[in-house]
């Protein structure tokens, strides 16, 4: 959810921002595949795609429309939705995906002096090598993937499994020509800007009280990050076809297929590994997911109380996963929630007549 910010504001720079990047909330374990690395094929959308329909949340005459975005998606595609454009045109508010704002009471120069300590915090305590930490079985699976996506670099062999896994994943996704859901959000926000809509971002502020001590504590704290490491290997070895199918299902709005497709999301395991360290407790980061949920629900509730029509953008994984608590939270507050395809109280002509363009993935 959060995006990278300036060095002077990110005390934990790589540590926090790597751990608190956008995550999907669905997480199902998959059977460990063979050790041989599969080639990650480039995925490219060569047609216009509309994505799924909109979730409808009603409170009397007021309505909140929610667009669910998929990640990762092919880097090169054109997303067009007449339905979203129509809803934005009749709305007075756009709710951005929730984010975490990190801050501290230090200046830019002081932040830069702490950067070497932060970079050292990526390493395993006692200078242990990755092979020693993850064990022979996981390391045997790591080697071919590392060779393919990271080459012969040696520095990563001294990193904690959490950071080694994140680096491997980023390079693999880039190599495959894929990206996050950023292009969809940029298109929505661009339309909102043209319409001069108010944009509100549900935000959780995290204050780093003692940056130097926070980094020192993190560097010395054990991390329960082997699950993060293993799930990352799982996805890069076996999840490529499912990743492609999810992108295609999202492109044509096939929610049933999205629900049915296996989903092994390592990001939540990686985030949990980071948040379990003492740095999370000291700076109130450990409960950040709950705070983000509460912040989003509060923003949605305010929108439904004050705006005749508004639009929100969220991860579709969050919308489809009952454990996220967002849809249930809305219903518990007395709002009527309808998924795309269910009968609605009103349908604009653009939404009912606009055909869904097929997406060709190869």
């Amino acid at each position: 959810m959060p995006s990278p910010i300036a060095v002077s504001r990110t005390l934990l720079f790589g540590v926090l921002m790597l751990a608190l990047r956008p995550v999907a909330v669905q997480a199902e374990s998959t059977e460990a595949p063979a050790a041989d690395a599969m080639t990650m094929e480039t995925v490219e959308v060569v047609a216009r795609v509309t994505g799924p329909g909109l979730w409808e949340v009603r409170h009397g005459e007021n309505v909140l429309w929610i667009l669910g975005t998929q990640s990762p998606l092919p880097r090169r595609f054109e997303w067009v939705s007449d339905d979203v454009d129509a809803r934005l045109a009749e709305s007075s508010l756009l709710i951005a995906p929730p984010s975490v704002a990190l801050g501290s009471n230090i200046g830019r120069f002081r932040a830069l002096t702490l950067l070497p300590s932060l970079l050292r915090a990526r390493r395993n305590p006692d200078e242990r090598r990755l092979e020693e930490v993850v064990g022979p079985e996981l390391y045997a699976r790591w080697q071919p993937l590392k060779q393919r996506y990271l080459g012969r670099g040696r520095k990563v062999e001294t990193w904690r499994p959490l950071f080694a896994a994140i680096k491997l994943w980023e390079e693999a996704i880039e190599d495959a020509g894929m990206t996050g859901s950023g292009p969809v959000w940029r298109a929505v926000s661009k339309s909102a800007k043209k319409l001069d809509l108010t944009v509100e971002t549900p935000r959780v502020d995290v204050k780093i009280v003692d940056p130097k001590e926070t980094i020192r504590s993190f560097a010395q704290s054990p991390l329960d990050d082997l699950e993060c490491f293993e799930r990352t290997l799982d996805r890069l070895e076996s999840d490529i076809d499912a990743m492609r199918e999810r992108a295609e299902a999202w492109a044509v709005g096939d929610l049933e297929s999205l629900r049915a497709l296996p989903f092994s999301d390592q990001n939540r395991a990686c985030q949990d590994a980071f948040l379990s360290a003492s740095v999370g407790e000291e700076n109130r980061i450990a409960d950040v997911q709950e705070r983000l949920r509460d912040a989003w629900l509060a923003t949605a509730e305010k929108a439904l109380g004050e705006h005749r029509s508004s639009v929100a953008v969220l991860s579709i994984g969050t919308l489809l996963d009952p454990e996220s608590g967002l849809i249930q939270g809305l219903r518990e507050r007395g709002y009527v929630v309808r998924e795309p395809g269910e009968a609605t109280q009103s349908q604009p002509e653009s939404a009912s007549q606009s055909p869904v363009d097929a997406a060709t993935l190869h």
Side-chain angles (χ1 to χ4, degrees):
M1 295 176 194
S3 37
I5 56 179
V7 171
S8 60
R9 292 193 58 213
T10 52
L11 212 300
L12 298 186
F13 307 100
V15 178
L16 290 180
M17 296 314 297
L18 286 172
L20 297 175
R21 61 186 57 244
V23 296
V25 296
Q26 291 178 314
E28 298 178 11
S29 61
T30 57
E31 197 172 306
D36 293 337
M38 291 178 61
T39 299
M40 184 179 250
E41 300 177 17
T42 299
V43 184
E44 183 177 353
V45 174
V46 294
R48 299 171 73 203
V49 301
T50 62
L54 301 175
W55 272 255
E56 179 185 3
V57 184
R58 284 199 173 270
H59 175 56
E61 294 299 315
N62 295 348
V63 60
L64 169 65
W65 303 99
I66 307 176
L67 169 66
T69 58
Q70 171 67 20
S71 180
L73 287 171
R75 186 179 295 119
R76 296 176 61 187
F77 74 100
E78 182 183 5
W79 176 79
V80 178
S81 175
D82 294 337
D83 194 4
V84 173
D85 287 341
R87 298 309 185 187
L88 287 170
E90 66 188 23
S91 296
S92 53
L93 175 70
L94 172 63
I95 302 176
S99 68
V100 176
L102 301 173
S104 68
N105 56 0
I106 65 172
R108 181 181 297 271
F109 177 77
R110 175 60 174 152
L112 289 173
T113 65
L114 293 172
L115 184 56
S117 297
L118 178 64
L119 295 178
R120 285 194 296 272
R122 294 181 301 181
R123 301 177 190 171
N124 286 306
D126 303 323
E127 299 300 323
R128 298 177 69 197
R129 296 188 62 78
L130 187 63
E131 182 176 8
E132 300 175 66
V133 178
V134 303
E137 183 178 344
L138 286 179
Y139 191 74
R141 294 171 57 193
W142 153 266
Q143 285 183 301
L145 292 169
K146 185 238 181 179
Q147 178 63 32
R148 173 167 179 76
Y149 299 118
L150 300 178
R152 298 182 179 181
R154 296 181 179 180
K155 286 185 178 181
V156 71
E157 294 289 346
T158 65
W159 289 6
R160 296 181 178 208
L162 167 68
F163 297 106
I166 291 172
K167 180 65 174 177
L168 180 68
W169 174 258
E170 289 179 337
E171 293 298 326
I173 290 300
E174 182 176 351
D175 186 76
M178 300 190 80
T179 185
S181 57
V184 176
W185 167 248
R186 285 195 292 272
V188 172
S189 57
K190 183 178 180 180
S191 296
K193 185 175 182 180
K194 289 180 179 179
L195 294 167
D196 199 26
L197 292 187
T198 299
V199 179
E200 188 166 347
T201 303
R203 192 182 308 276
V204 170
D205 294 317
V206 175
K207 185 78 170 180
I208 307 301
V209 179
D210 187 339
K212 185 175 181 179
E213 175 58 26
T214 294
I215 295 174
R216 187 195 65 79
S217 175
F218 179 83
Q220 296 176 357
S221 297
L223 287 180
D224 185 14
D225 55 359
L226 290 188
E227 182 181 3
C228 161
F229 188 80
E230 182 173 9
R231 286 197 178 186
T232 301
L233 302 185
D234 286 346
R235 291 200 73 183
L236 296 180
E237 290 171 332
S238 67
D239 196 40
I240 307 309
D241 287 339
M243 210 179 293
R244 182 186 300 109
E245 290 174 18
R246 279 194 295 274
E248 187 172 44
W250 180 87
V252 298
D254 187 351
L255 297 185
E256 291 308 310
S257 292
L258 281 171
R259 284 191 177 95
L261 285 166
F263 196 94
S264 176
D265 180 23
Q266 82 286 4
N267 286 310
R268 186 57 184 266
C270 295
Q271 177 181 262
D272 288 347
F274 173 78
L275 297 182
S276 67
S278 61
V279 62
E281 297 177 2
E282 293 167 1
N283 295 291
R284 282 209 68 206
I285 300 173
D287 62 347
V288 71
Q289 285 301 316
E290 290 75 13
R291 293 165 65 191
L292 282 170
R293 172 186 176 276
D294 292 344
W296 189 88
L297 285 171
T299 302
E301 193 162 22
K302 181 181 178 183
L304 285 163
E306 299 179 357
H307 296 267
R308 177 65 181 81
S309 179
S310 51
V311 176
V313 178
L314 276 176
S315 158
I316 199 165
T318 302
L319 292 168
L320 294 179
D321 183 8
E323 293 186 5
S324 73
L326 288 184
I327 297 300
Q328 182 62 27
L330 290 169
R331 287 183 169 134
E332 288 175 352
R333 285 162 171 77
Y335 303 122
V336 177
V337 182
R338 295 182 177 87
E339 292 189 2
E342 292 183 19
T344 58
Q345 294 181 11
S346 64
Q347 283 278 16
E349 290 188 4
S350 61
S352 60
Q353 297 179 359
S354 176
V356 176
D357 295 328
T360 302
L361 304 184
H362 61 79

